[in-house]
């Protein structure tokens, strides 16, 4: 039963988000997706940096104890 | 042992912030938001900085209280690093806010009660930082900064949330006479991005705080092998 609730929740969220009119300024030329791509690449690299830092610190902790 | 401890909240943080970065730019906006126009999307990036900062500083406050009730190196380091990262979030909020204000109100700094409250509050947390840097003895430093933090957090909250609410005039939404953001939200889809944004950004900065804390704990252990044997670290 749980997964049905989740599905309904996600569907309602997606439906709410997708109820868009095409005249919106940001999406009128379709190039906003390029900006989103750039933002996601930056975010991905920052997260990669954090993950590597996390693993390094964990290794240090293991050698200490 | 796993290489990344507490993986679950880090995954949630990355997933929600990724979702917010995409849908914050894509969702449909309410049509009449006055001079805010498309910049109302900053609600998903600027505002969560302040909410997240409040949550993280609250966590630091709890840790300070716990340190005072039972002195423990871990609690002191948690409190100080959470405060550092909370202030980092605060500065992110401050600078994004100044940029947004410059493009909306025409000036980076208005005489708004919220801005002045934040300035005073940041200065008070500067005092916390000063204690951290100036007292050499560990016990003294930990105790002093914990006491200071216990006093400063309620003052900070009253300066940035309570005072603007009580004031006559403020251009920030929900303060003074001005309307809340809810009044703008006719399309009813902004909260699908806003609430995940608050949680996601806060968790992402908690991750940074965790890394800094573990680094500081390692440093402390290296410097105080003797004290360690006296069971101060539990």
């Amino acid at each position: 039963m749980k997964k049905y609730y989740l599905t309904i929740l996600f569907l309602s969220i997606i439906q709410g988000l997708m109820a868009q009119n095409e005249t919106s300024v940001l999406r009128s030329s379709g190039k906003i997706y390029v900006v989103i791509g750039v933002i996601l690449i930056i975010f991905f690299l920052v997260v990669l940096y954090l993950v590597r830092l996390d693993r390094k610190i964990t290794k240090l902790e293991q050698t200490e104890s | 042992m796993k290489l990344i401890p507490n993986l679950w909240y880090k995954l949630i943080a990355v997933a929600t912030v990724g979702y917010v970065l995409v849908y914050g730019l894509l969702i449909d906006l309410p049509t009449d938001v006055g001079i805010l126009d498309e910049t109302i999307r900053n609600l998903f990036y600027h505002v969560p900085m302040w909410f997240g900062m409040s949550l993280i500083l609250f966590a630091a406050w709890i840790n300070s209280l716990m340190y005072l009730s039972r002195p423990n190196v871990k609690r002191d380091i948690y409190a100080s690093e959470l405060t550092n990262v909370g202030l980092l979030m605060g500065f992110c909020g401050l600078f994004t806010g100044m940029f947004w204000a410059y493009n909306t109100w025409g000036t980076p700094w208005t005489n708004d009660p919220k801005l002045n409250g934040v300035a005073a509050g940041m200065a008070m947390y500067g005092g916390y930082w000063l204690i951290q840097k100036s007292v050499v003895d560990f016990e003294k430093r930990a105790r002093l900064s914990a006491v200071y933090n216990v006093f400063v957090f309620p003052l900070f909250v009253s300066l940035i949330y309570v005072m603007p609410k009580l004031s006559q005039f403020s251009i920030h939404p929900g303060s003074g006479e001005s309307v809340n953001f809810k009044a703008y939200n006719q399309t009813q889809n902004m909260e699908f991005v806003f609430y995940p944004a608050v949680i996601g950004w806060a968790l992402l900065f908690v991750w940074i705080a965790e890394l800094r804390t573990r680094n500081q704990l390692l440093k402390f252990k290296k410097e105080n092998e003797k004290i360690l044997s006296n069971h101060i670290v539990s």
Side-chain angles (χ1 to χ4, degrees):
Chain A
M1 214 46 210
K2 234 179 195 172
K3 60 186 172 188
Y4 290 118
Y5 284 132
L6 269 182
T7 318
I8 291 166
L9 180 73
F10 278 124
L11 278 179
S12 64
I13 288 175
I14 288 168
Q15 208 241 342
L17 291 169
M18 287 299 168
Q20 300 160 348
N21 54 345
E22 291 302 314
T23 52
S24 166
V25 188
L26 270 186
R27 269 173 286 104
S28 55
S29 66
K31 298 237 164 128
I32 190 67
Y33 297 103
V34 182
V35 181
I36 290 173
V38 169
I39 290 173
L40 283 182
I41 290 168
I42 294 174
F43 180 59
F44 174 74
L45 286 177
V46 169
V47 168
L48 196 71
Y49 178 80
L50 279 177
V51 166
R52 285 179 56 85
L53 204 59
D54 204 324
R55 291 166 63 122
K56 259 180 207 165
I57 292 178
T58 311
K59 271 179 197 153
L60 263 180
E61 280 169 348
Q62 283 164 354
T63 49
E64 282 292 307
S65 56
Chain B
M1 214 178 114
K2 280 176 285 182
L3 272 179
I4 301 177
N6 302 324
L7 191 61
W8 60 275
Y9 88 78
K10 290 160 190 173
L11 285 176
I12 293 175
V14 171
T16 37
V17 174
Y19 162 83
V20 165
L21 286 175
V22 173
Y23 281 100
L25 287 177
L26 282 185
I27 63 157
D28 204 21
L29 293 171
T31 41
D32 55 332
V33 289
I35 52 170
L36 286 178
D37 213 2
E38 290 279 343
T39 67
I40 201 172
R41 292 182 201 277
N42 276 345
L43 178 67
F44 313 130
Y45 308 110
H46 163 76
V47 183
M49 290 297 138
W50 294 112
F51 279 44
M53 179 199 69
S54 312
L55 290 174
I56 288 177
L57 289 182
F58 178 68
W61 185 67
I62 296 284
N63 274 295
S64 282
L65 277 178
M66 285 167 88
Y67 179 84
L68 286 180
S69 72
R70 183 173 293 176
N72 182 333
V73 176
K74 229 177 184 173
R75 292 292 155 212
D76 173 60
I77 291 175
Y78 278 2
S80 65
E81 291 303 339
L82 279 170
T83 307
N84 281 339
V85 171
L87 289 185
L88 172 68
M89 257 185 129
F91 277 109
C92 287
L94 193 65
F95 291 127
T96 53
M98 280 166 76
F99 182 65
W100 192 9
Y102 185 72
N103 289 286
T104 309
W105 301 331
T107 165
W109 199 273
T110 57
N111 220 356
D112 191 89
K114 207 145 195 158
L115 294 174
N116 292 331
V118 162
M122 290 282 189
M124 291 188 322
Y125 270 105
Y128 181 80
W129 187 74
L130 269 181
I131 293 177
Q132 292 278 321
K133 294 290 166 193
S134 58
V135 183
V136 184
D137 180 44
F138 176 80
E139 282 281 331
K140 222 179 241 173
R141 181 181 64 217
R143 202 169 282 271
L144 265 177
S145 54
V147 169
Y148 189 80
N149 194 19
V150 166
F151 275 105
V152 116
F153 176 72
L155 279 174
F156 188 61
V157 166
S158 57
L159 273 174
I160 66 170
Y161 291 116
V162 184
M163 292 303 280
K165 201 120 208 161
L166 294 176
S167 65
Q168 285 293 309
F169 174 76
S170 171
I171 36 183
H172 267 91
S175 310
E177 297 280 284
S178 57
V179 292
N180 203 312
F181 255 115
K182 280 215 172 76
Y184 291 134
N185 187 16
Q186 306 120 332
T187 40
Q188 301 294 330
N189 57 4
M190 274 160 58
E191 54 268 79
F192 287 134
V193 182
F194 176 66
Y195 293 116
V198 172
I199 297 165
W201 285 112
L203 284 181
L204 196 72
F205 278 79
V206 165
W207 187 1
I208 300 172
E210 190 208 284
L211 291 182
R212 290 184 59 117
T213 307
R214 282 158 61 197
N215 180 34
Q216 288 293 87
L217 274 172
L218 277 176
K219 217 189 250 176
F220 181 84
K221 273 181 194 165
K222 207 158 214 172
E223 283 166 6
N224 301 277
E225 301 285 10
K226 258 184 201 163
I227 308 174
L228 206 71
S229 58
N230 294 337
H231 305 291
I232 285 185
V233 175
S234 59

